[in-house]
Amino acid sequence: LQLTGATTLGSLAGCAGQLPGTHDGEGREVKPRSTVTAEPDTSVNLTAASGTIRPAPDTSTANWMYEGQFPGPELRVQEGDVLSVELTNDLQEETTIHWHGVPVPNPVDGVPNVTQDPIASGDTFTYTFRAEPAGTYFYHSHVGLQLDRGLLGPLIVEERNPHVEYDREYVVIVDDYLPGEPEHPSDGGMGGGGGMGGRGGMMGDVRPPYEGLLINGRLPENPQTFDVTEGERIRFRFVNAASATVFGVRIAGHEMTVTHADGRPVEPVDVDSFVFGAGERYDAVVEATNPGTWAVQADALDGNEPPARAVVEYESAAGESPQPPSAASNQLQYGDLRAISSLDGVSGDPDRTFDLTLSRGSGQSYIWMIDGQVYPDADPFQIRPEEHVRIRMTNQSPVVHPMHLHGHFFKVGNAIKDTVLVPGHMGQVTIDFHADNPGRWLFHCHNLYHLDAGMARIVKYV
Ligand code: C2O
Ligand code: CU
């Protein structure tokens, strides 16, 4: 399974702008989304602490997690509900939580030293926001490399009127498994220095020495079984919560009908497989019309680990081993995605355009840059409320970058997303968003090691 490279993902450049929808922004005042003061519909306490996980019966490792669970507890609310989460920090270091993909008010976005002071060890902090729009999201620490230590969990905002019919659903969190402490890539290690091993790296990139790939916190030798009944329609909510892995996903014996990209509804598209990067989500419906025991498989596109695996099982003879998926033929392309909902304020010509390069530093240090600058020592991108903002990215490096914008959805091609893969080798992707959520927002690569090495910028309303 291969990323199809610049010719496909890259061909999105320039698609935006000729899309349906009208600019309704005239005369409408954009106010900061202030912190919600209404009584919460759902209140949750999450404690971040270290503990031990058992991803397979004979494997146990120290991990950091929420409520002693890995992945963290599923937060599930109805669209429009006010969700209040009190986070207690029982770690020995500072932390925060970011609500990945949800356009929350800026003060509860969870970016340390940008939207809040980091929460000190022993302290608590309460995040309150209205959970909208409906979608498949996840939450994770936004401090350092804590995401790769296990501080993540699913956040599901249910539609009040789903446009997809289904009988049952499962959340599928795909992750790379790093026992022990993540290490910052060391200076001078061109793709192999320090503790990073450089395994699986491509032309100077580094990837931690992952000990395996996980679905819902379980190694492939210990797969979760998704029980289904013949005839049912199963909605799978796939979340790529990895720190440095792009995955290709397939289900043996079944076609997937992709219904949502990053939580936003799309016109249904039938595929055998899809590729997603860290921070991306897809919902897909599978019809249980082929009884048996079948593998749900996620292959790392840039690693050597055995694929992550779960099992779909219905009316099979006991002891039958799951059928692995065959080589995938019909792979989802961004160009196949057509959003059903519209994104206001991004039709026609943009009010402001940023033309950016994505590149690796050329010196001895492990550095990743957006437009030649290294975060936090980088100039914020300044925008004004109500503008239609375009960001065009050209990836001068050989590796793919999953770029994520906080606080906003963007239009890419005919899709609405919040995270997008920018292919290597001069791949180009253009995104358009409406400046409707004032604040200071992070725009960054969701490969945690690239983010940690400077691949971020602040988008600041002025
Ligand atoms: Cu999952 Cu800054 O994001
Ligand atoms: Cu990157």
Side-chain angles (χ1 to χ4, degrees):
L1 201 60
Q2 292 288 317
L3 248 195
T4 39
T7 47
T8 49
L9 294 182
S11 64
L12 292 165
C15 294
Q18 328 151 347
L19 304 159
T22 51
H23 194 289
D24 71 346
E26 261 168 80
R28 205 174 50 148
E29 198 192 340
V30 176
K31 296 200 203 80
R33 279 174 214 173
S34 53
T35 305
V36 175
T37 50
E39 272 300 300
D41 299 288
T42 304
S43 297
V44 178
N45 293 304
L46 291 180
T47 299
S50 61
T52 303
I53 54 161
R54 218 168 262 289
D58 55 352
T59 314
S60 72
T61 12
N63 202 51
W64 291 3
M65 52 201 145
Y66 299 111
E67 294 298 300
Q69 295 175 38
F70 178 69
E74 177 180 293
L75 306 184
R76 183 176 283 266
V77 294
Q78 288 270 301
E79 178 171 31
D81 280 0
V82 174
L83 172 63
S84 182
V85 179
E86 184 181 283
L87 171 62
T88 301
N89 181 7
D90 277 355
L91 304 167
Q92 297 305 307
E93 54 184 74
E94 296 173 333
T95 196
T96 64
I97 291 183
H98 170 60
W99 313 96
H100 182 109
V102 186
V104 298
N106 198 238
V108 291
D109 196 46
V111 180
N113 304 312
V114 176
T115 66
Q116 70 170 102
D117 291 332
I119 307 158
S121 175
D123 280 2
T124 64
F125 185 91
T126 302
Y127 297 91
T128 303
F129 56 91
R130 205 171 280 283
E132 59 189 5
T136 299
Y137 304 97
F138 70 121
Y139 60 94
H140 61 78
S141 164
H142 217 294
V143 170
L145 301 175
Q146 291 180 359
L147 170 61
D148 216 3
R149 287 230 68 178
L151 289 169
L152 61 98
L155 167 59
I156 308 302
V157 181
E158 293 183 342
E159 303 93 346
R160 293 194 183 267
N161 303 300
H163 80 290
V164 187
E165 279 178 38
Y166 57 98
D167 303 297
R168 195 196 284 262
E169 68 160 86
Y170 289 108
V171 175
V172 186
I173 305 222
V174 189
D175 195 4
D176 37 26
Y177 169 49
L178 184 71
E181 212 170 318
E183 288 178 52
H184 300 264
S186 58
D187 288 357
M190 292 297 283
M196 297 295 292
R199 193 172 130 204
M202 287 186 280
M203 296 184 65
D205 194 17
V206 293
R207 195 163 167 272
Y210 287 115
E211 286 205 5
L213 303 172
L214 304 171
I215 286 182
N216 291 347
R218 301 165 74 133
L219 286 163
E221 60 266 33
N222 181 37
Q224 179 178 355
T225 299
F226 300 123
D227 288 313
V228 308
T229 302
E230 187 173 4
E232 281 183 330
R233 288 166 60 83
I234 321 299
R235 178 182 188 171
F236 289 101
R237 297 174 181 265
F238 293 97
V239 177
N240 186 339
S243 293
T245 305
V246 178
F247 284 99
V249 176
R250 294 176 278 168
I251 301 179
H254 297 76
E255 208 173 40
M256 296 181 278
T257 303
V258 173
T259 58
H260 298 74
D262 292 354
R264 314 307 306 131
V266 294
E267 285 173 21
V269 39
D270 296 339
V271 297
D272 295 324
S273 71
F274 62 83
V275 166
F276 68 163
E280 291 191 291
R281 291 93 60 211
Y282 285 110
D283 292 22
V285 172
V286 167
E287 289 192 47
T289 53
N290 191 10
T293 304
W294 305 99
V296 178
Q297 187 166 309
D299 297 79
L301 297 191
D302 54 351
N304 306 311
E305 303 88 355
R309 217 181 60 170
V311 173
V312 172
E313 190 172 271
Y314 51 124
E315 298 192 2
S316 68
E320 221 178 283
S321 64
Q323 296 301 307
S326 52
S329 43
N330 178 20
Q331 182 183 297
L332 181 74
Q333 307 294 327
Y334 283 154
D336 300 335
L337 296 170
R338 302 197 153 261
I340 289 174
S341 53
S342 66
L343 192 62
D344 290 334
V346 295
S347 63
D349 292 331
D351 299 306
R352 193 181 293 273
T353 301
F354 297 94
D355 236 310
L356 309 176
T357 57
L358 309 177
S359 65
R360 165 130 192 224
S362 56
Q364 281 298 293
S365 304
Y366 187 73
I367 280 170
W368 282 97
M369 299 181 293
I370 295 177
D371 224 34
Q373 294 188 24
V374 179
Y375 186 81
D377 200 11
D379 305 320
F381 296 138
Q382 304 203 345
I383 63 173
R384 289 184 193 284
E386 203 57 48
E387 283 181 338
H388 165 191
V389 181
R390 174 167 295 173
I391 298 178
R392 186 160 40 219
M393 294 168 273
T394 303
N395 183 357
Q396 298 180 335
S397 77
V399 299
V400 65
H401 299 285
M403 299 301 294
H404 172 52
L405 175 64
H406 286 214
H408 306 75
F409 290 101
F410 51 73
K411 196 136 203 174
V412 53
N414 289 308
I416 298 173
K417 298 187 92 272
D418 54 59
T419 308
V420 66
L421 286 172
V422 185
H425 302 286
M426 302 306 282
Q428 284 194 323
V429 171
T430 298
I431 64 174
D432 286 71
F433 70 95
H434 183 211
D436 63 354
N437 193 5
R440 295 167 74 219
W441 301 99
L442 212 57
F443 170 64
H444 65 89
C445 179
H446 218 281
N447 178 315
L448 204 60
Y449 296 86
H450 296 177
L451 167 59
D452 188 56
M455 202 164 197
R457 244 1 138 86
I458 287 173
V459 176
K460 176 181 167 189
Y461 283 67
V462 294

